[in-house]
Amino acid sequence: MKNDLIQHLSNYIKLSDENTALIINHSEEKHYKASDFFIESGDKCDQMAFLISGVFRFCFMDHKGNEITSYFMKENDFVSNITSFFEFSVSSGSIQAETNCEVIQFSRASWDLFCAEIPEWENSFQKIVNETLVNKINFQRSLLNLDAKDSYLKFLKTYPSILQRVPLNHVASFLGITPFSLSRIRKSISII
C-alpha cells in the first residue's frame, strides 16, 4: 500500500531512495470502518492520510443545525482538514468514512520531518493542495446555473465511483437538494 503513496507523490516530486525510505518509515497503514471519524468538528487535525481505498466525506452543521456534506474524498486523494492541519486550529467540520477505508497516514511530526529532509516537499504538496482546491471550486461553479437534475447528472459523470458507495442523502446534501428531490430525479432518469 505504501508504494501507492510513493507512486502518487512521484507525479509531483522527484524522490530519492532515501526520501522514499523516510516516507515509508514514518507513515503507517491504517483502516477505518464505515462511519469512523478521521477527525471530528472542534478537534485539531494533526494527521494527514493518503486514501488507498474507500470514500470519506467532509461535513459540517449549518446555522439551522442541518448536516451539510461539502466534499468527498476518494482513492488517490489526501485526507485531512488542511486549514486545521496547517494553522493548528480546530476543525470547523468532521471527516467521516463513508465506506471501509484503507489509508497511509502520517502525523504532524512526520510532516515536519519530511519538510526538513525532502527538498521541495512543501512546494510539491502545495501543488497537490492547489490542484484539489481548483478541481473542487470548478466543479461547484459548474453547478451554479444548473437545475437539480443537471447537477445530479454532472455529479454522476464527474464522480461515478462515489455514487455507488455513499448514502444518497449525503449526495443530496452535497448537491444542495432534498433527498426526496434526488429520489424523484433518479426515478425520472431510470424511466428514460
Side-chain angles (χ1 to χ4, degrees):
M1 282 184 6
K2 291 186 180 183
N3 286 336
D4 293 331
L5 170 61
I6 299 302
Q7 184 176 353
H8 183 75
L9 289 172
S10 70
N11 294 320
Y12 299 90
I13 187 171
K14 185 168 175 46
L15 295 170
S16 67
D17 291 343
E18 293 80 13
N19 298 155
T20 299
L22 185 73
I23 294 168
I24 288 172
N25 291 332
H26 290 88
S27 60
E28 64 175 330
E29 296 177 5
K30 192 160 181 187
H31 300 267
Y32 289 86
K33 292 181 180 167
S35 298
D36 284 353
F37 285 94
F38 181 84
I39 183 172
E40 292 190 66
S41 181
D43 292 341
K44 288 186 179 178
C45 188
D46 61 357
Q47 299 286 322
M48 189 165 301
F50 178 72
L51 188 49
I52 301 295
S53 67
V55 177
F56 281 94
R57 73 181 176 117
F58 182 83
C59 57
F60 64 94
M61 301 301 275
D62 70 8
H63 65 282
K64 294 180 182 176
N66 300 311
E67 186 179 80
I68 306 295
T69 297
S70 69
Y71 193 62
F72 292 104
M73 291 151 272
K74 61 186 181 347
E75 289 82 3
N76 296 322
D77 285 340
F78 281 90
V79 178
S80 188
N81 181 322
I82 297 297
T83 303
S84 176
F85 187 83
F86 288 125
E87 295 181 0
F88 303 91
S89 59
V90 297
S91 178
S92 59
S94 300
I95 298 176
Q96 186 176 29
E98 293 278 68
T99 65
N100 292 339
C101 296
E102 294 179 309
V103 301
I104 305 299
Q105 191 162 311
F106 48 91
S107 66
R108 181 180 307 284
S110 294
W111 171 269
D112 291 341
L113 180 64
F114 300 159
C115 289
E117 298 293 326
I118 302 173
E120 293 299 311
W121 174 263
E122 285 182 279
N123 288 340
S124 298
F125 206 87
Q126 189 60 51
K127 289 178 190 172
I128 295 169
V129 170
N130 289 347
E131 186 178 283
T132 301
L133 186 59
V134 166
N135 289 339
K136 178 184 176 187
I137 290 169
N138 286 342
F139 179 79
Q140 289 175 333
R141 278 190 185 151
S142 73
L143 300 181
L144 288 178
N145 295 317
L146 299 179
D147 62 18
K149 180 179 177 181
D150 288 336
S151 292
Y152 171 72
L153 291 172
K154 176 91 175 171
F155 179 86
L156 190 60
K157 183 178 179 182
T158 307
Y159 301 108
S161 69
I162 291 178
L163 185 65
Q164 309 304 322
R165 299 184 285 170
V166 303
L168 289 178
N169 61 316
H170 294 168
V171 174
S173 169
F174 177 72
L175 294 174
I177 60 178
T178 66
F180 176 77
S181 293
L182 180 58
S183 178
R184 200 177 69 239
I185 291 165
R186 286 169 51 87
K187 283 180 187 169
S188 74
I189 291 170
S190 68
I191 292 170
I192 297 172

